[in-house]
mmCIF file of all heavy atoms in Angstrom:
data_model
loop_
_atom_site.group_PDB
_atom_site.id
_atom_site.type_symbol
_atom_site.label_atom_id
_atom_site.label_comp_id
_atom_site.label_asym_id
_atom_site.label_seq_id
_atom_site.Cartn_x
_atom_site.Cartn_y
_atom_site.Cartn_z
ATOM 1 N N ALA A 225 10.680 7.178 9.778
ATOM 2 C CA ALA A 225 10.608 8.161 8.688
ATOM 3 C C ALA A 225 10.138 7.503 7.398
ATOM 4 O O ALA A 225 9.308 8.060 6.663
ATOM 5 C CB ALA A 225 11.977 8.810 8.480
ATOM 6 N N GLY A 226 10.640 6.302 7.122
ATOM 7 C CA GLY A 226 10.204 5.581 5.930
ATOM 8 C C GLY A 226 8.740 5.227 5.980
ATOM 9 O O GLY A 226 8.007 5.364 4.995
ATOM 10 N N ALA A 227 8.271 4.756 7.137
ATOM 11 C CA ALA A 227 6.862 4.392 7.280
ATOM 12 C C ALA A 227 5.966 5.622 7.119
ATOM 13 O O ALA A 227 4.916 5.555 6.467
ATOM 14 C CB ALA A 227 6.629 3.740 8.640
ATOM 15 N N LEU A 228 6.387 6.752 7.708
ATOM 16 C CA LEU A 228 5.596 7.979 7.547
ATOM 17 C C LEU A 228 5.560 8.433 6.090
ATOM 18 O O LEU A 228 4.506 8.838 5.584
ATOM 19 C CB LEU A 228 6.170 9.095 8.431
ATOM 20 C CG LEU A 228 5.941 8.941 9.931
ATOM 21 C CD1 LEU A 228 6.683 10.034 10.698
ATOM 22 C CD2 LEU A 228 4.459 8.984 10.253
ATOM 23 N N GLY A 229 6.708 8.376 5.422
ATOM 24 C CA GLY A 229 6.758 8.768 4.006
ATOM 25 C C GLY A 229 5.876 7.881 3.149
ATOM 26 O O GLY A 229 5.108 8.373 2.306
ATOM 27 N N LEU A 230 5.966 6.573 3.364
ATOM 28 C CA LEU A 230 5.120 5.653 2.587
ATOM 29 C C LEU A 230 3.647 5.854 2.929
ATOM 30 O O LEU A 230 2.786 5.776 2.047
ATOM 31 C CB LEU A 230 5.541 4.207 2.852
ATOM 32 C CG LEU A 230 6.881 3.808 2.238
ATOM 33 C CD1 LEU A 230 7.262 2.402 2.685
ATOM 34 C CD2 LEU A 230 6.839 3.880 0.729
ATOM 35 N N GLY A 231 3.374 6.138 4.197
ATOM 36 C CA GLY A 231 1.987 6.406 4.591
ATOM 37 C C GLY A 231 1.422 7.622 3.872
ATOM 38 O O GLY A 231 0.275 7.618 3.415
ATOM 39 N N LEU A 232 2.247 8.673 3.749
ATOM 40 C CA LEU A 232 1.806 9.875 3.033
ATOM 41 C C LEU A 232 1.585 9.597 1.547
ATOM 42 O O LEU A 232 0.634 10.106 0.942
ATOM 43 C CB LEU A 232 2.822 11.002 3.217
ATOM 44 C CG LEU A 232 2.878 11.622 4.615
ATOM 45 C CD1 LEU A 232 4.039 12.598 4.722
ATOM 46 C CD2 LEU A 232 1.563 12.317 4.937
ATOM 47 N N VAL A 233 2.465 8.765 0.963
ATOM 48 C CA VAL A 233 2.287 8.395 -0.446
ATOM 49 C C VAL A 233 0.978 7.631 -0.622
ATOM 50 O O VAL A 233 0.204 7.880 -1.561
ATOM 51 C CB VAL A 233 3.480 7.549 -0.945
ATOM 52 C CG1 VAL A 233 3.185 6.913 -2.289
ATOM 53 C CG2 VAL A 233 4.726 8.409 -1.037
ATOM 54 N N LEU A 234 0.710 6.692 0.282
ATOM 55 C CA LEU A 234 -0.530 5.911 0.197
ATOM 56 C C LEU A 234 -1.748 6.812 0.382
ATOM 57 O O LEU A 234 -2.737 6.683 -0.353
ATOM 58 C CB LEU A 234 -0.522 4.795 1.240
ATOM 59 C CG LEU A 234 0.557 3.723 1.077
ATOM 60 C CD1 LEU A 234 0.490 2.720 2.218
ATOM 61 C CD2 LEU A 234 0.434 3.024 -0.256
ATOM 62 N N LEU A 235 -1.672 7.722 1.355
ATOM 63 C CA LEU A 235 -2.796 8.638 1.594
ATOM 64 C C LEU A 235 -3.039 9.519 0.375
ATOM 65 O O LEU A 235 -4.182 9.698 -0.063
ATOM 66 C CB LEU A 235 -2.498 9.491 2.830
ATOM 67 C CG LEU A 235 -3.593 10.465 3.258
ATOM 68 C CD1 LEU A 235 -4.836 9.686 3.704
ATOM 69 C CD2 LEU A 235 -3.102 11.361 4.381
ATOM 70 N N PHE A 236 -1.968 10.059 -0.200
ATOM 71 C CA PHE A 236 -2.102 10.881 -1.402
ATOM 72 C C PHE A 236 -2.724 10.075 -2.541
ATOM 73 O O PHE A 236 -3.607 10.561 -3.251
ATOM 74 C CB PHE A 236 -0.734 11.426 -1.818
ATOM 75 C CG PHE A 236 -0.759 12.128 -3.149
ATOM 76 C CD1 PHE A 236 -1.237 13.419 -3.250
ATOM 77 C CD2 PHE A 236 -0.319 11.484 -4.302
ATOM 78 C CE1 PHE A 236 -1.270 14.074 -4.483
ATOM 79 C CE2 PHE A 236 -0.353 12.127 -5.526
ATOM 80 C CZ PHE A 236 -0.825 13.419 -5.614
ATOM 81 N N SER A 237 -2.267 8.840 -2.712
ATOM 82 C CA SER A 237 -2.798 7.996 -3.791
ATOM 83 C C SER A 237 -4.291 7.753 -3.622
ATOM 84 O O SER A 237 -5.054 7.812 -4.593
ATOM 85 C CB SER A 237 -2.068 6.653 -3.826
ATOM 86 O OG SER A 237 -0.713 6.839 -4.136
ATOM 87 N N LEU A 238 -4.708 7.471 -2.407
ATOM 88 C CA LEU A 238 -6.125 7.208 -2.165
ATOM 89 C C LEU A 238 -6.973 8.465 -2.350
ATOM 90 O O LEU A 238 -8.074 8.404 -2.912
ATOM 91 C CB LEU A 238 -6.324 6.642 -0.756
ATOM 92 C CG LEU A 238 -5.812 5.223 -0.539
ATOM 93 C CD1 LEU A 238 -5.886 4.844 0.932
ATOM 94 C CD2 LEU A 238 -6.599 4.232 -1.383
ATOM 95 N N LEU A 239 -6.468 9.622 -1.886
ATOM 96 C CA LEU A 239 -7.245 10.853 -2.006
ATOM 97 C C LEU A 239 -7.293 11.359 -3.451
ATOM 98 O O LEU A 239 -8.320 11.845 -3.916
ATOM 99 C CB LEU A 239 -6.657 11.944 -1.100
ATOM 100 C CG LEU A 239 -6.809 11.722 0.398
ATOM 101 C CD1 LEU A 239 -6.096 12.819 1.176
ATOM 102 C CD2 LEU A 239 -8.281 11.666 0.792
ATOM 103 N N TYR A 240 -6.195 11.234 -4.163
ATOM 104 C CA TYR A 240 -6.118 11.804 -5.509
ATOM 105 C C TYR A 240 -6.664 10.866 -6.574
ATOM 106 O O TYR A 240 -7.342 11.312 -7.502
ATOM 107 C CB TYR A 240 -4.656 12.164 -5.817
ATOM 108 C CG TYR A 240 -4.499 13.046 -7.028
ATOM 109 C CD1 TYR A 240 -4.851 14.391 -6.984
ATOM 110 C CD2 TYR A 240 -3.992 12.534 -8.214
ATOM 111 C CE1 TYR A 240 -4.700 15.197 -8.091
ATOM 112 C CE2 TYR A 240 -3.839 13.345 -9.323
ATOM 113 C CZ TYR A 240 -4.197 14.673 -9.260
ATOM 114 O OH TYR A 240 -4.055 15.472 -10.357
ATOM 115 N N TYR A 241 -6.402 9.570 -6.439
ATOM 116 C CA TYR A 241 -6.806 8.628 -7.475
ATOM 117 C C TYR A 241 -7.996 7.758 -7.071
ATOM 118 O O TYR A 241 -8.448 6.943 -7.863
ATOM 119 C CB TYR A 241 -5.621 7.722 -7.866
ATOM 120 C CG TYR A 241 -4.545 8.471 -8.587
ATOM 121 C CD1 TYR A 241 -3.318 8.673 -7.993
ATOM 122 C CD2 TYR A 241 -4.756 8.987 -9.860
ATOM 123 C CE1 TYR A 241 -2.321 9.369 -8.654
ATOM 124 C CE2 TYR A 241 -3.762 9.683 -10.514
ATOM 125 C CZ TYR A 241 -2.554 9.874 -9.910
ATOM 126 O OH TYR A 241 -1.573 10.563 -10.552
ATOM 127 N N ARG A 242 -8.456 7.882 -5.854
ATOM 128 C CA ARG A 242 -9.605 7.137 -5.321
ATOM 129 C C ARG A 242 -9.477 5.636 -5.555
ATOM 130 O O ARG A 242 -8.620 4.997 -4.964
ATOM 131 C CB ARG A 242 -10.885 7.714 -5.901
ATOM 132 C CG ARG A 242 -11.143 9.138 -5.456
ATOM 133 C CD ARG A 242 -12.431 9.701 -6.014
ATOM 134 N NE ARG A 242 -12.672 11.061 -5.578
ATOM 135 C CZ ARG A 242 -12.153 12.133 -6.136
ATOM 136 N NH1 ARG A 242 -11.334 12.000 -7.153
ATOM 137 N NH2 ARG A 242 -12.421 13.326 -5.679
ATOM 138 N N ALA A 243 -10.283 5.066 -6.435
ATOM 139 C CA ALA A 243 -10.274 3.613 -6.630
ATOM 140 C C ALA A 243 -8.944 3.131 -7.196
ATOM 141 O O ALA A 243 -8.442 2.069 -6.810
ATOM 142 C CB ALA A 243 -11.417 3.194 -7.549
ATOM 143 N N LEU A 244 -8.361 3.916 -8.103
ATOM 144 C CA LEU A 244 -7.061 3.527 -8.640
ATOM 145 C C LEU A 244 -5.981 3.570 -7.557
ATOM 146 O O LEU A 244 -4.990 2.851 -7.630
ATOM 147 C CB LEU A 244 -6.664 4.448 -9.800
ATOM 148 C CG LEU A 244 -7.452 4.287 -11.097
ATOM 149 C CD1 LEU A 244 -7.022 5.330 -12.114
ATOM 150 C CD2 LEU A 244 -7.279 2.899 -11.659
ATOM 151 N N GLY A 245 -6.186 4.392 -6.541
ATOM 152 C CA GLY A 245 -5.252 4.442 -5.428
ATOM 153 C C GLY A 245 -5.169 3.122 -4.692
ATOM 154 O O GLY A 245 -4.117 2.769 -4.145
ATOM 155 N N LEU A 246 -6.276 2.378 -4.686
ATOM 156 C CA LEU A 246 -6.255 1.045 -4.057
ATOM 157 C C LEU A 246 -5.297 0.118 -4.793
ATOM 158 O O LEU A 246 -4.640 -0.725 -4.179
ATOM 159 C CB LEU A 246 -7.668 0.447 -4.028
ATOM 160 C CG LEU A 246 -8.673 1.149 -3.106
ATOM 161 C CD1 LEU A 246 -10.061 0.564 -3.289
ATOM 162 C CD2 LEU A 246 -8.222 1.058 -1.667
ATOM 163 N N VAL A 247 -5.217 0.273 -6.110
ATOM 164 C CA VAL A 247 -4.265 -0.527 -6.889
ATOM 165 C C VAL A 247 -2.839 -0.170 -6.464
ATOM 166 O O VAL A 247 -1.990 -1.056 -6.285
ATOM 167 C CB VAL A 247 -4.463 -0.280 -8.400
ATOM 168 C CG1 VAL A 247 -3.415 -1.004 -9.213
ATOM 169 C CG2 VAL A 247 -5.862 -0.688 -8.833
ATOM 170 N N THR A 248 -2.583 1.126 -6.278
ATOM 171 C CA THR A 248 -1.256 1.556 -5.828
ATOM 172 C C THR A 248 -0.937 0.998 -4.450
ATOM 173 O O THR A 248 0.155 0.479 -4.220
ATOM 174 C CB THR A 248 -1.175 3.100 -5.790
ATOM 175 O OG1 THR A 248 -1.519 3.617 -7.068
ATOM 176 C CG2 THR A 248 0.195 3.574 -5.393
ATOM 177 N N VAL A 249 -1.893 1.084 -3.545
ATOM 178 C CA VAL A 249 -1.686 0.572 -2.186
ATOM 179 C C VAL A 249 -1.383 -0.924 -2.231
ATOM 180 O O VAL A 249 -0.433 -1.397 -1.609
ATOM 181 C CB VAL A 249 -2.924 0.857 -1.300
ATOM 182 C CG1 VAL A 249 -2.817 0.119 0.026
ATOM 183 C CG2 VAL A 249 -3.079 2.351 -1.079
ATOM 184 N N GLY A 250 -2.180 -1.664 -3.001
ATOM 185 C CA GLY A 250 -1.951 -3.114 -3.107
ATOM 186 C C GLY A 250 -0.594 -3.440 -3.694
ATOM 187 O O GLY A 250 0.124 -4.325 -3.201
ATOM 188 N N SER A 251 -0.211 -2.694 -4.730
ATOM 189 C CA SER A 251 1.083 -2.978 -5.364
ATOM 190 C C SER A 251 2.241 -2.625 -4.444
ATOM 191 O O SER A 251 3.251 -3.327 -4.410
ATOM 192 C CB SER A 251 1.213 -2.226 -6.680
ATOM 193 O OG SER A 251 1.374 -0.851 -6.435
ATOM 194 N N LEU A 252 2.112 -1.541 -3.684
ATOM 195 C CA LEU A 252 3.181 -1.169 -2.761
ATOM 196 C C LEU A 252 3.302 -2.177 -1.622
ATOM 197 O O LEU A 252 4.414 -2.476 -1.171
ATOM 198 C CB LEU A 252 2.959 0.234 -2.214
ATOM 199 C CG LEU A 252 3.099 1.372 -3.218
ATOM 200 C CD1 LEU A 252 2.863 2.716 -2.549
ATOM 201 C CD2 LEU A 252 4.460 1.350 -3.867
ATOM 202 N N VAL A 253 2.201 -2.701 -1.176
ATOM 203 C CA VAL A 253 2.243 -3.751 -0.146
ATOM 204 C C VAL A 253 2.953 -4.983 -0.704
ATOM 205 O O VAL A 253 3.821 -5.579 -0.044
ATOM 206 C CB VAL A 253 0.824 -4.098 0.347
ATOM 207 C CG1 VAL A 253 0.821 -5.376 1.178
ATOM 208 C CG2 VAL A 253 0.251 -2.946 1.159
ATOM 209 N N ILE A 254 2.606 -5.360 -1.937
ATOM 210 C CA ILE A 254 3.252 -6.532 -2.559
ATOM 211 C C ILE A 254 4.745 -6.251 -2.776
ATOM 212 O O ILE A 254 5.598 -7.096 -2.470
ATOM 213 C CB ILE A 254 2.559 -6.885 -3.889
ATOM 214 C CG1 ILE A 254 1.160 -7.433 -3.608
ATOM 215 C CG2 ILE A 254 3.375 -7.902 -4.671
ATOM 216 C CD1 ILE A 254 0.299 -7.598 -4.843
ATOM 217 N N ALA A 255 5.085 -5.064 -3.289
ATOM 218 C CA ALA A 255 6.503 -4.717 -3.518
ATOM 219 C C ALA A 255 7.282 -4.714 -2.205
ATOM 220 O O ALA A 255 8.403 -5.228 -2.131
ATOM 221 C CB ALA A 255 6.613 -3.358 -4.208
ATOM 222 N N GLY A 256 6.680 -4.154 -1.155
ATOM 223 C CA GLY A 256 7.337 -4.129 0.150
ATOM 224 C C GLY A 256 7.534 -5.526 0.712
ATOM 225 O O GLY A 256 8.585 -5.835 1.286
ATOM 226 N N THR A 257 6.541 -6.390 0.533
ATOM 227 C CA THR A 257 6.645 -7.776 1.010
ATOM 228 C C THR A 257 7.736 -8.532 0.261
ATOM 229 O O THR A 257 8.538 -9.249 0.869
ATOM 230 C CB THR A 257 5.288 -8.496 0.842
ATOM 231 O OG1 THR A 257 4.283 -7.751 1.541
ATOM 232 C CG2 THR A 257 5.353 -9.905 1.385
ATOM 233 N N ILE A 258 7.770 -8.375 -1.055
ATOM 234 C CA ILE A 258 8.816 -9.046 -1.847
ATOM 235 C C ILE A 258 10.198 -8.551 -1.429
ATOM 236 O O ILE A 258 11.139 -9.335 -1.285
ATOM 237 C CB ILE A 258 8.574 -8.813 -3.363
ATOM 238 C CG1 ILE A 258 7.340 -9.596 -3.811
ATOM 239 C CG2 ILE A 258 9.794 -9.226 -4.180
ATOM 240 C CD1 ILE A 258 6.898 -9.276 -5.226
ATOM 241 N N LEU A 259 10.328 -7.232 -1.217
ATOM 242 C CA LEU A 259 11.611 -6.671 -0.801
ATOM 243 C C LEU A 259 12.028 -7.206 0.568
ATOM 244 O O LEU A 259 13.184 -7.567 0.783
ATOM 245 C CB LEU A 259 11.506 -5.148 -0.775
ATOM 246 C CG LEU A 259 12.790 -4.352 -0.799
ATOM 247 C CD1 LEU A 259 13.615 -4.695 -2.033
ATOM 248 C CD2 LEU A 259 12.490 -2.876 -0.785
ATOM 249 N N TYR A 260 11.082 -7.289 1.487
ATOM 250 C CA TYR A 260 11.375 -7.816 2.823
ATOM 251 C C TYR A 260 11.813 -9.277 2.741
ATOM 252 O O TYR A 260 12.786 -9.681 3.378
ATOM 253 C CB TYR A 260 10.144 -7.668 3.716
ATOM 254 C CG TYR A 260 10.344 -8.197 5.109
ATOM 255 C CD1 TYR A 260 11.155 -7.521 6.016
ATOM 256 C CD2 TYR A 260 9.738 -9.379 5.516
ATOM 257 C CE1 TYR A 260 11.359 -8.009 7.290
ATOM 258 C CE2 TYR A 260 9.938 -9.872 6.791
ATOM 259 C CZ TYR A 260 10.746 -9.178 7.673
ATOM 260 O OH TYR A 260 10.943 -9.675 8.933
ATOM 261 N N LEU A 261 11.099 -10.071 1.944
ATOM 262 C CA LEU A 261 11.487 -11.475 1.776
ATOM 263 C C LEU A 261 12.858 -11.597 1.124
ATOM 264 O O LEU A 261 13.656 -12.475 1.484
ATOM 265 C CB LEU A 261 10.435 -12.219 0.949
ATOM 266 C CG LEU A 261 9.067 -12.405 1.625
ATOM 267 C CD1 LEU A 261 8.069 -13.015 0.650
ATOM 268 C CD2 LEU A 261 9.195 -13.258 2.868
ATOM 269 N N LEU A 262 13.146 -10.718 0.172
ATOM 270 C CA LEU A 262 14.464 -10.711 -0.465
ATOM 271 C C LEU A 262 15.560 -10.408 0.555
ATOM 272 O O LEU A 262 16.615 -11.049 0.558
ATOM 273 C CB LEU A 262 14.489 -9.684 -1.599
ATOM 274 C CG LEU A 262 15.770 -9.588 -2.412
ATOM 275 C CD1 LEU A 262 16.003 -10.891 -3.179
ATOM 276 C CD2 LEU A 262 15.691 -8.434 -3.383
ATOM 277 N N PHE A 263 15.306 -9.448 1.449
ATOM 278 C CA PHE A 263 16.270 -9.141 2.511
ATOM 279 C C PHE A 263 16.492 -10.352 3.409
ATOM 280 O O PHE A 263 17.615 -10.637 3.818
ATOM 281 C CB PHE A 263 15.803 -7.955 3.347
ATOM 282 C CG PHE A 263 15.904 -6.632 2.648
ATOM 283 C CD1 PHE A 263 15.111 -5.573 3.037
ATOM 284 C CD2 PHE A 263 16.793 -6.427 1.603
ATOM 285 C CE1 PHE A 263 15.193 -4.348 2.401
ATOM 286 C CE2 PHE A 263 16.891 -5.208 0.959
ATOM 287 C CZ PHE A 263 16.092 -4.166 1.371
ATOM 288 N N LEU A 264 15.409 -11.053 3.742
ATOM 289 C CA LEU A 264 15.547 -12.235 4.590
ATOM 290 C C LEU A 264 16.371 -13.324 3.908
ATOM 291 O O LEU A 264 17.247 -13.927 4.522
ATOM 292 C CB LEU A 264 14.166 -12.786 4.963
ATOM 293 C CG LEU A 264 13.325 -11.933 5.916
ATOM 294 C CD1 LEU A 264 11.980 -12.590 6.149
ATOM 295 C CD2 LEU A 264 14.054 -11.717 7.225
ATOM 296 N N VAL A 265 16.084 -13.558 2.622
ATOM 297 C CA VAL A 265 16.817 -14.595 1.881
ATOM 298 C C VAL A 265 18.293 -14.214 1.757
ATOM 299 O O VAL A 265 19.183 -15.043 1.975
ATOM 300 C CB VAL A 265 16.180 -14.819 0.487
ATOM 301 C CG1 VAL A 265 17.076 -15.662 -0.394
ATOM 302 C CG2 VAL A 265 14.813 -15.457 0.629
#
């Protein structure tokens, strides 16, 4: 459910903001990676 929700957010960002949506996608990937690493630590 989380992956589907995030996927919809990413899709909306790309369709609505186009090039700026790529910035959102990149930042969410970085935020998700940092959060995952924080969970591991």
Side-chain angles (χ1 to χ4, degrees):
L228 288 174
L230 289 174
L232 289 173
V233 168
L234 296 177
L235 182 65
F236 172 79
S237 296
L238 290 172
L239 291 176
Y240 194 73
Y241 291 112
R242 295 181 180 83
L244 289 176
L246 292 173
V247 175
T248 305
V249 170
S251 71
L252 292 180
V253 168
I254 291 170
T257 303
I258 290 172
L259 199 58
Y260 179 72
L261 292 174
L262 183 65
F263 287 156
L264 291 178
V265 168

